[in-house]
Amino acid sequence: MRVILLHQYYKTPEEGGGIRSWYLCRALTEAGHEVEVVTAWNKKEHKTLLIDGYPVHYLSVHYSNDLGFFRRIRSFTAFFIAAYKKVNSLSRPDFIYAISTPLSIGGLAKWIRWRKSIPYFFEVGDLWPDVPAQMGYLRNPLLIRILKSLELSIYKSAKGIVAMSPAMVDYFNDLGYGSKTTCVTNFSDLSLSSTPSHEREPTDRFTVAYVGTLGKANHLSYLIDLAEEAQKRGLKNFRCILMGEGAEEPLLKKMIAEKGLSNVSLLPHSSKEAAISVLKSASMAYLSFGPYDKLWTGSPNKYFDALAIGKPILCNFGGWIGDEITDKKCGVVYSPFNPQSFFDKHWPSLQTEDILESMGQNALTLAKGSYTLAKQIPKWLTFLCR
C-alpha cells in the first residue's frame, strides 16, 4: 500500500510539539507500507529529507501561532497550491491521508480526488469552521455558511473519517457519517516514562506544569490567575511552569510582570524529551482551553502524554476529557472563573502525597487500558485497509 500523508504541521520528536503524524508514518512503514509526507516549514527553500526511512517533502510556507486571521488564510492557501503541485510530481498513491487542521487540508484532498480520482481519508482534530467561528475569528455569516458547506462536502467525499475523540464520533454520527468513521485518539506512548525529570523539585513544593502552545485557544491566563491567588494566600510552596511558544506569550509575560508573580516560570519551546522532562518534575500536568466548548471535543496530545507518565492532571474545562478525568479519578477539574474555589475545595487534599500517587496510578491505568500505541495503531491500520 502506498500513501501520501498531507499535514501542514508535521513534527518530529526533536522538534517538539504534536508528533502524531510521526507516529502514524512510523506505523505505516513498520507495517510494510510506503509513505511520503507533504508538509511545510518556515525556511526559505523547499527540501526533501529522509526521516526514519520515508521521504518528507518540506514546502516553504510560513506559519506561526501569532499570525492574524488573514495571514493564516494566506498561509493555508499557499500550502494548498504548493502541496498540490508536489503531489502531482510524486508517484500515484493508493490513497491520500489528510490531517486537519486547517480545513483547507480536507479541501486539498477533495480537489486531488476530483482531479486525479485518488481516494482520501480525512483525520479531524478540531471542528472547523465551528471552532474559529466560536472564537470570533470568523464573523461573516455568509463566509461561515460557505465554509460549513465545504466541511460537509469533505466528509461526504472522504473514503473514511478518523475522529480523534469520542465526542467527535458523536458529531459524525449525528451527521449521518457514522458508518465510515472510526475513533483513533492521540497516543499515550509508555516509553516516555523513561525520560529523566527536568529537575528535582523540593519535596515541599507543589508544581503545576503546562507544556504546549501558548495560544488564544489555551487561555493560559487561567493558570496565571491560580498563581496570583496562591501568592495572595501566601502559599510559598505553589509554583507554575509554562513551557512553549505562541501568540499569547507576550501577554503572559506582561501579566506575570504586572502582578509581580514570583511563582511562575516561563520556559521556551523545546524538544519532546525536554517537554516530558518538565511534566515529570511537576506535581500535576495542566490542561487548559478557553470558554469554547467546540474546542473541548478535541484530543490534545498533552493529555495523553500526562497519562503515559502517570501524572495527575489539573483541568480547567469540561467535555469528554473533563468527564473522563473525573470518572477515572486521575486528576481534578475546576472552574477557571473561580480560582479561589480550587484552593478552598481541592488544595488541602492535594497536599497529601497518597492522593497524588493514587491519581497518578489511575492515570497510568487509563493510558494502558485505552490509549497506548499498541491499542490505537492496529485499529487505525485495520480501518485504512478495510
Side-chain angles (χ1 to χ4, degrees):
M1 186 169 71
R2 172 170 162 73
V3 183
I4 292 179
L5 185 143
L6 300 176
H7 187 195
Q8 190 165 345
Y9 313 129
Y10 173 89
K11 299 293 182 184
T12 65
E14 292 74 25
E15 294 174 286
I19 60 170
R20 176 184 176 87
S21 51
W22 177 81
Y23 282 121
L24 297 181
C25 291
R26 187 179 67 174
L28 284 168
T29 55
E30 289 178 351
H33 304 299
E34 183 182 351
V35 60
E36 290 190 67
V37 178
V38 178
T39 188
W41 64 1
N42 290 341
K43 297 183 181 181
K44 293 183 179 180
E45 73 282 349
H46 297 343
K47 193 169 186 178
T48 297
L49 300 177
L50 199 65
I51 296 178
D52 296 328
Y54 56 88
V56 178
H57 306 287
Y58 289 94
L59 307 178
S60 178
V61 179
H62 179 76
Y63 180 86
S64 67
N65 183 258
D66 59 358
L67 292 180
F69 176 73
F70 290 105
R71 291 181 66 194
R72 292 187 186 207
I73 295 299
R74 187 190 310 168
S75 175
F76 301 156
T77 303
F79 182 75
F80 185 110
I81 295 170
Y84 179 69
K85 291 179 180 178
K86 173 53 69 173
V87 170
N88 266 341
S89 72
L90 303 176
S91 299
R92 182 183 178 89
D94 293 294
F95 62 82
I96 298 288
Y97 192 83
I99 299 179
S100 74
T101 58
L103 184 62
S104 53
I105 295 293
L108 172 60
K110 180 179 169 67
W111 179 258
I112 293 170
R113 177 182 178 274
W114 180 66
R115 293 297 301 268
K116 302 176 72 68
S117 299
I118 299 173
Y120 67 91
F121 289 86
F122 189 48
E123 179 176 289
V124 183
D126 286 316
L127 297 179
W128 276 52
D130 293 2
V131 166
Q134 190 177 54
M135 293 180 64
Y137 289 120
L138 292 175
R139 299 180 184 274
N140 186 297
L142 177 59
L143 178 58
I144 292 173
R145 284 198 299 271
I146 292 172
L147 291 175
K148 193 68 180 177
S149 178
L150 172 61
E151 176 202 18
L152 297 177
S153 73
I154 291 169
Y155 301 152
K156 183 178 180 179
S157 298
K159 181 179 181 179
I161 300 169
V162 177
M164 288 179 60
S165 76
M168 287 186 178
V169 171
D170 292 340
Y171 176 77
F172 291 117
N173 284 335
D174 290 342
L175 291 176
Y177 297 124
S179 62
K180 64 175 181 180
T181 300
T182 192
C183 180
V184 181
T185 65
N186 263 319
F187 313 123
S188 289
D189 184 352
L190 300 182
S191 70
L192 297 176
S193 62
S194 63
T195 305
S197 296
H198 171 66
E199 60 181 30
R200 183 174 295 278
E201 293 283 352
T203 55
D204 63 343
R205 185 155 68 184
F206 187 96
T207 305
V208 178
Y210 172 87
V211 173
T213 302
L214 311 180
K216 179 180 177 181
N218 309 103
H219 213 297
L220 288 162
S221 60
Y222 291 154
L223 186 53
I224 301 299
D225 292 340
L226 276 184
E228 182 181 23
E229 179 63 21
Q231 190 157 295
K232 286 179 179 177
R233 293 178 180 229
L235 301 176
K236 298 186 182 299
N237 64 327
F238 184 89
R239 179 191 178 202
C240 297
I241 298 175
L242 295 93
M243 182 182 194
E245 61 184 2
E248 297 290 290
E249 185 175 351
L251 174 62
L252 294 170
K253 288 181 176 179
K254 181 180 179 181
M255 292 179 68
I256 293 168
E258 289 181 345
K259 295 175 183 294
L261 300 179
S262 59
N263 56 359
V264 182
S265 299
L266 192 56
L267 305 180
H269 171 81
S270 190
S271 67
K272 185 75 170 183
E273 181 179 15
I276 296 301
S277 294
V278 168
L279 282 183
K280 287 193 71 175
S281 72
S283 308
M284 300 187 82
Y286 194 70
L287 293 185
S288 184
F289 276 134
Y292 314 109
D293 61 358
K294 298 297 183 182
L295 277 172
W296 304 351
T297 62
S299 185
N301 63 78
K302 57 185 70 67
Y303 174 53
F304 301 91
D305 287 346
L307 297 179
I309 61 173
K311 187 61 57 178
I313 297 161
L314 179 58
C315 177
N316 65 22
F317 57 91
W320 77 275
I321 287 179
D323 291 343
E324 186 167 80
I325 290 171
T326 300
D327 181 56
K328 300 300 183 181
K329 297 180 173 56
C330 56
V332 168
V333 179
Y334 80 103
S335 170
F337 306 109
N338 186 5
Q340 297 86 354
S341 69
F342 168 77
F343 291 100
D344 292 339
K345 182 178 180 181
H346 301 290
W347 178 251
S349 63
L350 292 175
Q351 303 311 292
T352 305
E353 190 63 32
D354 290 347
I355 295 294
L356 288 176
E357 185 177 346
S358 175
M359 287 179 176
Q361 290 174 347
N362 292 340
L364 186 56
T365 298
L366 175 57
K368 290 179 177 178
S370 300
Y371 301 127
T372 62
L373 290 160
K375 288 186 176 294
Q376 294 290 324
I377 289 295
K379 178 171 61 172
W380 180 69
L381 289 173
T382 300
F383 183 71
L384 297 185
C385 299
R386 64 177 183 164

